[in-house]
Amino acid sequence: MGLTVDFESAVRYLYALGNEVTAMKLGLDAVTALLEALGRPDRNFTPLHVAGTNGKGSTCAFLASIFHQAGLRTGLYTSPHLMSPVERIRLNGQAIPEAAFAEVMTQVHDAVESLLEEGRLAARPTFFEHLTAAAFTYLAARQAEVVVAEVGLGGRLDATNVLHPAAAVITNIGEDHREWLGPTLSHIAREKAGIIKPGVPVYLADTQPEEARRVLAHSALAQQVEPQWVAPFETVHLDATGCPSVRFDQRFPSLEGGVCRLSLRGRHQTQNAALAAVVAQAELRRRGVAESDIGRAIVAGLETTHWPGRLQWLETTPPVLLDGAHNPQGAQALAHFLESIGGRRPRTAIFATMRDKPAADLLSALASGVDRLILTEVKNQPRTMPRESLEVIALGYWLPSGIIQAPDVAMALARARELTPPEGLILVCGSIYLIGEALQALQVPVL
């Protein structure tokens, strides 16, 4: 890989490193060595570090939007992507340009080659370690003032945990990635709590399950940090597409009593938005921003946050709702959302998931809110669960006449349009990879 590498070559190199999940190696040694070789770009901006099972991406998106509205040069590093890896690295809301992505991946690759030649790396870093180094290098070079970084998996041994953040944020914890993080909620919470560092303020979603709550509180106190539990906003209204309007309380002096409409759908976003608003307010105060300006940034940020593929509503005929829920808590949130928008419009769900996901839990959550199910598979994903296996599970919740198979999402969408009346709803769910393919098939941009 030379200095004139193009975007396609950079992406091929990245994917040749192996699957992001199955080829993952937890640990900080490789990414630390790589960042040292690149001049520790992660020390050139103020990071905010966000972990959790559900809602961490939305919380990151809310946070970045508020900081951008406050006039800060704001970096955002998230995962996974829907269509292209450039989505993961953003500055002031704009994805890294493809040419810049190729350039920074070349820098990372060359640093890796040198480290391997010198024997300072035991093995080539993983897909996620490469991307993490690329993100921090790009954002530092572009003089980002604040960077909101989402944990890839877990927390304690995740590549992003090299950061020394201004704040650690932990959203709701649920059961996911148990093969990596441990068999119980307590094990998972302990791994997520690994981002808590001595003397660094930690903000925790107040809607945590009790088992996770105990572990998080204990972990914070072990680092001699007083945990700050953040309660959700009060919901005052839910519009026809499920966007909540929320009321500000005494936590926000310049906004108390005011109402704003969140741009992200679902009642669960009232927790993520409150977490982001409290954290952003503290950071902006630390920077000496005036209270009235903080208030304006919070309102504008919450009202304009863009986070595709998560309860994303497309005003087509019939409408299409896309949601990447892939664990039991996410599926329950989706089910509650379907209840909240009311009406019994005919609903067709297009569903695919990965072999390592609890398909029965995901499908059972949908059963009461979906009339017809189209089962499909994700292309170019060896971990996709065969649709025949999904049908065996689905027959526990739907009659055989209510289940259809389609070989890919494009054909599933075509079939759903034939079967769903204009006043109905087409739902696409079960995997973030499926959502990416659906957005591509629907020709909906995500950048």
Side-chain angles (χ1 to χ4, degrees), residues 107-281:
Q107 285 178 257
V108 172
H109 167 272
D110 291 350
V112 166
E113 293 303 315
S114 295
L115 289 167
L116 288 169
E117 281 173 26
E118 294 162 15
R120 290 162 59 200
L121 276 178
R124 190 172 294 278
T126 63
F127 177 107
F128 189 69
E129 287 167 337
H130 274 76
L131 264 182
T132 300
F136 296 164
T137 301
Y138 172 75
L139 294 169
R142 297 308 187 280
Q143 284 91 44
E145 295 170 87
V146 61
V147 171
V148 180
E150 178 187 8
V151 165
L153 192 150
R156 183 174 65 93
L157 297 174
D158 184 76
T160 60
N161 206 28
V162 294
L163 294 170
H164 292 273
V169 185
I170 302 178
T171 65
N172 281 323
I173 291 174
E175 293 187 7
D176 202 7
H177 299 298
R178 284 185 293 185
E179 68 276 27
W180 295 99
L181 305 179
T184 70
L185 208 55
S186 292
H187 286 90
I188 294 167
R190 204 167 292 119
E191 290 299 315
K192 308 277 186 189
I195 71 164
I196 301 172
K197 296 180 173 66
V200 174
V202 58
Y203 299 85
L204 306 166
D206 198 40
T207 47
Q208 296 288 352
E210 190 53 41
E211 188 180 344
R213 192 182 182 92
R214 284 195 301 270
V215 172
L216 293 174
H218 181 267
S219 299
L221 293 174
Q223 297 288 1
Q224 298 182 308
V225 181
E226 183 67 37
Q228 300 183 55
W229 297 97
V230 178
F233 283 123
E234 175 198 349
T235 305
V236 293
H237 175 67
L238 213 62
D239 74 12
T241 70
C243 284
S245 290
V246 299
R247 179 174 285 116
F248 292 100
D249 50 42
Q250 71 281 359
R251 292 175 293 182
F252 306 94
S254 68
L255 298 171
E256 190 171 355
V259 172
C260 91
R261 177 183 176 274
L262 303 183
S263 57
L264 303 187
R265 292 176 179 81
R267 286 185 192 274
H268 60 284
Q269 293 295 1
T270 62
Q271 171 67 89
N272 301 327
L275 201 50
V278 166
V279 173
Q281 178 174 251

